[in-house]
Amino acid sequence: MEPSGIIFAALDCDAAVIEDWNRWYDLEHTPPNVMLEGVMLSNRYVATPELHAARQTADGSPFGGGRASFITVYTLTGDPQIAFDDMSTLRERLIDTGRMAFPEDQKAVREGDCFQSVDAFVSSPTKLVPKDVPFVGHTGVVIRHRRGGDEESLARAARLVDLDFVHGVWSLTSRLREGLDMDMVFVEGDAAEAARTMRAVEPADGATEVLVDAPYDRINPMHYPWADSIRNSELPKTVAL
């Protein structure tokens, strides 16, 4: 089996229930989704206030205004659309059986999509091959949604792996929104500094419209030491904002 794409979700929860929502997500929401045919792996990520400060977004982006503090990435094999459709069907079954019990008014999906793999690039010191990239060790990711400039962006991705803190880059294209592409940069260390450094050494070219460029830290399940920093910050306190 080789990785073929991802299911991607950008999410938020009310500040008052950060630990409760994340615990529910780790204990109850993730397991049935990972058990679906075609799902290989699940990773979740968080943007602390410092990471939000390092984020760049286009006007009107669901990642703007302090939103999308969490993302979930399900790594897939086979036809990504099949897993995406199965996950949508599973959600309805979980609702019917009372297994989506976390209050709907305290959580929100800001964006959801199904992406198919286009190419992957590896850091040469690791001796990886491209199909290994989605599984490489990392402490964070920088997510870059873009339109246009495909050749330029793939060339940029190939150069990014020369940076010491980059262990791999996975480039994908949306199955649901024509012309929308994404680069996932797997990084080690300070994700905010990684995002700023990559913009400085590999700025966007004139052919590419960058919709979001956002660093996230990888979440260690059942371990949420960053909860208070989000709760006590100027980020929105409720998903209604």
Side-chain angles (χ1 to χ4, degrees), residues 96-114:
D96 290 343
T97 56
R99 293 184 61 188
M100 291 288 285
F102 200 89
E104 290 292 331
D105 62 349
Q106 295 180 344
K107 59 186 176 74
V109 178
R110 302 301 188 187
E111 181 174 280
D113 209 327
C114 176

Side-chain angles (χ1 to χ4, degrees), residues 29-52:
H29 186 71
T30 298
N33 285 287
V34 174
M35 288 176 61
L36 289 171
E37 185 175 353
V39 179
M40 305 179 79
L41 176 71
S42 171
N43 275 310
R44 299 204 304 120
Y45 303 89
V46 59
T48 61
E50 293 76 17
L51 295 175
H52 273 280

